[in-house]
Amino acid sequence: MSSIAEARRKALNPFGDQYPDDNTEKEIVLQADGLTAANPNDRHVLLRWTNAVVDGQRYTQILHLTGGPGNYAFHTPQVKMHSSKSLEENTFHSLGKFTRAQRDEIIDLAKAVKFERTSRVNNCQTWMHDLLAAMVVKKLLDKAKFDEWVKSVPLKVRVAEA
């Protein structure tokens, strides 16, 4: 691997080698930016689960669409430190506990979400809506929870690209 590719991999997944996923059952949470939706049309959302806790520091695997209007990307795996500030300043919704096989299936569903990288009308809330909808279809997520989060987070329904 070239030094540029290695540097990029480390930037995207700084703790993946140290704290990879394992075969234990883990709670997955939907994290929404902020304690309230200050801007409901542009609220970053992601899925995360804890891979390790070392000396009180949590290392979590995350699934999310990165970037911003006109420059979105999806990269997996990503294992990052989960700060105490994040725990205090964001909203969390439990999806429930999942086996390693189920988490791997969720990763595959995330990879399969179709998304226009250069979109200016859809965002990470749209991507997450589509991922969670796919989880409902696969019976990995309760439809009632999904419907609740579409309204409360909120998650956005895909619209046609301009």
Side-chain angles (χ1 to χ4, degrees):
M1 184 180 296
S2 75
S3 60
I4 293 172
E6 181 61 20
R8 180 183 165 131
R9 187 188 70 76
K10 280 289 192 193
L12 292 172
N13 189 25
F15 298 101
D17 292 340
Q18 293 168 276
Y19 308 111
D21 203 357
D22 61 26
N23 291 324
T24 61
E25 187 176 73
K26 296 179 181 179
E27 179 183 27
I28 296 179
V29 295
L30 168 63
Q31 177 181 323
D33 185 43
L35 297 176
T36 60
N39 182 352
N41 291 317
D42 190 23
R43 189 178 193 193
H44 188 62
V45 291
L46 57 90
L47 294 185
R48 77 179 334 133
W49 60 87
T50 301
N51 282 359
V53 178
V54 178
D55 297 329
Q57 178 59 62
R58 298 164 67 103
Y59 296 89
T60 61
Q61 188 153 333
I62 60 176
L63 295 177
H64 66 142
L65 194 65
T66 62
N71 188 31
Y72 290 104
F74 174 71
H75 305 282
T76 192
Q78 287 189 323
V79 178
K80 298 190 174 186
M81 285 193 294
H82 192 188
S83 70
S84 56
K85 183 177 179 180
S86 170
L87 288 166
E88 295 166 4
E89 295 181 358
N90 293 301
T91 304
F92 299 89
H93 305 276
S94 178
L95 277 68
K97 292 196 174 198
F98 295 83
T99 65
R100 174 62 185 266
Q102 289 171 318
R103 291 191 305 276
D104 287 345
E105 185 175 3
I106 292 166
I107 291 169
D108 289 341
L109 291 171
K111 289 176 183 177
V113 171
K114 302 289 186 218
F115 201 86
E116 181 64 42
R117 179 179 174 86
T118 58
S119 181
R120 296 197 175 277
V121 294
N122 295 300
N123 64 14
C124 68
Q125 292 164 281
T126 313
W127 182 87
M128 186 62 68
H129 176 280
D130 292 354
L131 172 56
L132 296 181
M135 290 175 63
V136 169
V137 169
K138 293 289 188 174
K139 307 276 191 253
L140 293 167
L141 181 64
D142 179 67
K143 174 95 167 68
K145 279 186 180 181
F146 171 74
D147 290 340
E148 174 189 330
W149 296 332
V150 166
K151 292 176 185 157
S152 68
V153 171
L155 300 174
K156 294 169 47 175
V157 176
R158 180 177 305 278
V159 297
E161 295 295 329

